[in-house]
Amino acid sequence: MYNDNPTIPVKEIDESKQGEVLMMETKGSKPKSFYIESYGCQMNFSDSEIVASILSEEGYGPTRNMEESDLILINTCSIREKAEETVRRRLKIFNKVKAKRPETLIGVLGCMAERLKSKFLEEEQLVDMVVGPDAYRDIPNLIASADDGNRSINVLLSREETYADIAPLRLQSNGVSAFISIMRGCDNMCSFCVVPFTRGRERSRDPFTIVSEATDLFDKGFREVTLLGQNVDSYKWENPETKELVNFAQLLEMVALVNPLLRVRFSTSHPKDITDDVLFMIRDYKNICKYIHLPVQSGNSRILDLMNRTYSREWYKSKIDRIYEIVPDCAISSDIITGFCTETEDEHKDTLSIINYSKYSMSYMFFYSERPGTLAARKYEDDIPLEVKKRRLQEVVDLQMDLAHEHNKKDIGKTYEVLIEGDSKKSDQHFKGRNSQNKMVIFPKHKGLGPGDYVQVKVDEVTRATLLGKMIS
Ligand code: 5AD
Ligand code: SF4
């Protein structure tokens, strides 16, 4: 799922675009500064905030200017080949900065660091530090070692690390919405996916630290949190003393109870794991948003089986039915892959028809990109020609765009509660905000209102991507 608008609480950002430069005002004059770019999923952006927190403890302040920074970091994504190509291009640019200022250290963080490990240091000679997603606490030591002229690396994966006690340093924040990481890793082993190899085994974070992070954010004026995990529905935490279990539905309720004015979102759901209890929570708590990102990947049961998704077309459809039955005004979005190994034209048509059936409000759509080491790379031939993958992708994109427009047209005349996020991109006379269904709503400004306020907006016009309306008193 990819989106090039970093303000949309989605899982990933278009890796073809330059990564978001994380930035905040530096308090006082810090002796050292770091510059960080983040690519890929929301989890990476959230991780960058953990890294920023660790660095600030070491006296490093964030800067937007890479030429002047002591440390250039890139938080990387391996999910598709294109994502990795982007990172390599950026590293070349960082190296030009280093050529002029040799004392600058360059560090690669995240999934690509984990996947390529010491290859970065041995073959490419582009970086001083390689740090995997579970090794961020070691960054101060790695910097010290790199400062001494060593190339330093820590790519150890952990079964326990959740960074539960680290208060993320909110960077480039709109002051309204924030991510909270609730778990790490993934045990699912979808055959196309590199994540289980780069982010390791699934582990859930202590729910009380999640609630206290949410409470702290609310107290600071934030009004929306997105609970993040590769598969949030399999969240499971055992109280070490009482042995009581907390599941995702219970966690959602705990966070919803922080304050009725704090909206709760979550991503990503796995169709096999989302339970009725989660749907009941969404129905029963007004501040749990009526929006579920429920990637289907393919609409064909044979392909789903090859993908190791562990559900069939019919099973997925019944899950969609159940969601609309329990939460009729829920918006559902998806991730879709075209041209997976051996996919026929008819099987591709099954994907088109499940998109129609599910009435997604939006989707993140990709053509299959073989990733070394994955189950699919080992077991199946990547046999669909690139132009066929791309043509199928275009068909999926065209259909989804039409569906999104239809979805939005149904909102004309409706009134939604909108949480104001800030000025509209196109006009400072308009606010932008989201409704519970995660749709962007644009409307003329009113005096005395601003980011973090809730308003009622009646929709009178729509585009494929946005609802336009007016505030009603
Ligand atoms: N090729 C194409 N898309 C992929 N995704 C994951 N791995 C691949 C791959 N090898 C997509 C899936 C997933 C989203 C985050 O990225 O749709 O849900
Ligand atoms: Fe990858 Fe599947 Fe885990 Fe998502 S659920 S991260 S697609 S293995």
Side-chain angles (χ1 to χ4, degrees):
M1 61 156 278
Y2 280 62
N3 195 295
D4 60 1
N5 180 350
T7 61
I8 296 178
V10 293
K11 210 168 43 178
E12 294 185 40
I13 307 295
D14 186 338
E15 69 261 20
S16 66
K17 305 281 190 307
Q18 182 178 322
E20 187 181 354
V21 179
L22 298 174
M23 171 66 190
M24 68 170 284
E25 290 301 313
T26 308
K27 293 190 198 85
S29 55
K30 297 269 191 224
K32 294 211 164 196
S33 63
F34 69 93
Y35 168 93
I36 184 165
E37 284 183 11
S38 305
Y39 293 82
C41 62
Q42 287 175 333
M43 192 67 98
N44 261 7
F45 282 69
S46 168
D47 278 3
S48 291
E49 298 187 332
I50 289 170
V51 170
S53 171
I54 292 168
L55 286 170
S56 76
E57 291 290 310
E58 295 294 305
Y60 280 82
T63 174
R64 221 184 250 282
N65 185 350
M66 81 162 96
E67 268 90 15
E68 283 173 10
S69 67
D70 301 287
L71 181 60
I72 301 180
L73 299 173
I74 183 161
N75 200 347
T76 60
C77 172
S78 281
I79 204 131
R80 281 169 287 277
E81 205 179 336
K82 213 171 111 199
E84 293 201 349
E85 284 163 7
T86 308
V87 168
R88 286 176 202 283
R89 275 200 306 277
R90 294 303 294 162
L91 280 173
K92 290 208 175 95
I93 290 170
F94 298 164
N95 268 250
K96 286 191 185 141
V97 175
K98 194 175 165 75
K100 284 192 219 141
R101 209 169 171 264
E103 68 275 22
T104 306
L105 297 180
I106 298 177
V108 177
L109 316 178
C111 288
M112 214 172 149
E114 193 62 50
R115 196 179 82 71
L116 294 169
K117 301 189 169 59
S118 57
K119 264 196 193 165
F120 263 121
L121 302 179
E122 288 153 14
E123 292 169 20
E124 314 201 3
Q125 300 282 316
L126 284 169
V127 300
D128 303 290
M129 264 175 22
V130 177
V131 196
D134 287 345
Y136 297 145
R137 284 180 204 270
D138 200 25
I139 286 179
N141 299 326
L142 296 168
I143 292 176
S145 167
D147 267 339
D148 289 343
N150 306 308
R151 287 167 181 265
S152 54
I153 178 163
N154 186 343
V155 287
L156 288 178
L157 288 173
S158 155
R159 281 180 175 249
E160 287 93 36
E161 181 62 271
T162 58
Y163 301 109
D165 57 316
I166 295 182
L169 194 67
R170 304 291 165 186
L171 297 161
Q172 224 193 37
S173 155
N174 62 5
V176 177
S177 327
F179 297 131
I180 301 183
S181 166
I182 63 162
M183 58 205 293
R184 300 182 71 80
C186 183
D187 282 351
N188 279 330
M189 287 292 174
C190 298
S191 64
F192 51 79
C193 187
V194 77
V195 168
F197 304 96
T198 59
R199 287 191 162 266
R201 299 303 297 270
E202 182 180 292
R203 64 223 100 116
S204 297
R205 175 179 171 189
D206 179 335
F208 300 101
T209 67
I210 296 170
V211 169
S212 83
E213 193 173 323
T215 308
D216 184 51
L217 284 164
F218 186 81
D219 292 344
K220 289 189 171 127
F222 285 80
R223 291 293 174 265
E224 184 175 81
V225 292
T226 303
L227 308 182
L228 287 184
Q230 305 296 342
N231 178 9
V232 289
D233 300 286
S234 70
Y235 176 90
K236 193 169 84 189
W237 184 80
E238 189 187 86
N239 188 320
E241 278 139 39
T242 62
K243 301 290 167 208
E244 267 176 281
L245 288 177
V246 177
N247 65 23
F248 184 57
Q250 292 160 326
L251 176 72
L252 264 183
E253 183 166 41
M254 288 166 76
V255 181
L257 287 170
V258 165
N259 194 297
L261 288 177
L262 183 70
R263 273 187 176 176
V264 188
R265 298 189 182 278
F266 54 90
S267 186
T268 296
S269 295
H270 195 299
K272 79 174 163 57
D273 292 316
I274 189 165
T275 60
D276 278 1
D277 282 347
V278 168
L279 301 179
F280 295 141
M281 288 299 168
I282 299 173
R283 181 194 63 190
D284 295 344
Y285 283 87
K286 187 170 164 265
N287 58 332
I288 301 181
C289 289
K290 294 181 169 39
Y291 168 66
I292 302 175
H293 184 62
L294 195 75
V296 67
Q297 311 296 0
S298 161
N300 175 267
S301 295
R302 187 186 74 87
I303 295 294
L304 286 168
D305 192 40
L306 293 185
M307 287 177 163
N308 200 22
R309 288 292 287 179
T310 71
Y311 53 82
S312 65
R313 172 184 174 84
E314 292 313 317
W315 198 92
Y316 184 90
K317 282 168 70 181
S318 62
K319 200 44 106 178
I320 293 286
D321 295 345
R322 190 74 179 140
I323 295 172
Y324 288 137
E325 184 188 330
I326 297 176
V327 193
D329 54 345
C330 196
I332 306 174
S333 60
S334 193
D335 291 351
I336 290 146
I337 298 177
T338 64
F340 187 66
C341 314
T342 74
E343 183 190 67
T344 65
E345 266 329 294
D346 280 349
E347 289 167 341
H348 162 62
K349 292 210 171 85
D350 282 346
T351 298
L352 295 173
S353 77
I354 212 160
I355 295 172
N356 251 320
Y357 185 89
S358 308
K359 301 192 187 65
Y360 298 128
S361 58
M362 64 149 179
S363 292
Y364 300 93
M365 300 157 278
F366 323 98
F367 62 80
Y368 174 58
S369 160
E370 186 179 79
R371 307 311 295 132
T374 55
L375 288 182
R378 282 184 270 146
K379 278 169 69 177
Y380 314 122
E381 194 190 338
D382 180 14
D383 59 349
I384 307 299
L386 185 61
E387 63 274 17
V388 176
K389 287 179 179 175
K390 285 189 173 168
R391 194 253 304 145
R392 289 180 188 169
L393 176 61
Q394 194 54 54
E395 288 174 16
V396 164
V397 168
D398 291 345
L399 172 62
Q400 179 59 60
M401 297 233 294
D402 288 348
L403 272 180
H405 205 180
E406 290 309 310
H407 206 286
N408 287 352
K409 280 184 195 159
K410 292 202 182 102
D411 291 332
I412 293 176
K414 289 188 189 160
T415 299
Y416 286 109
E417 183 175 79
V418 173
L419 173 61
I420 303 176
E421 289 178 12
D423 285 3
S424 140
K425 254 194 209 162
K426 289 189 186 149
S427 140
D428 62 5
Q429 301 304 304
H430 289 75
F431 280 133
K432 67 172 179 192
R434 260 162 231 284
N435 66 4
S436 177
Q437 287 75 5
N438 204 35
K439 290 191 185 173
M440 186 61 89
V441 186
I442 308 289
F443 56 97
K445 277 185 175 175
H446 276 246
K447 273 208 185 110
L449 290 169
D453 288 327
Y454 287 99
V455 291
Q456 299 291 324
V457 179
K458 186 168 181 195
V459 178
D460 46 31
E461 232 182 291
V462 298
T463 68
R464 281 172 168 163
T466 325
L467 310 182
L468 310 163
K470 291 190 186 59
M471 257 180 66
I472 55 166
S473 47

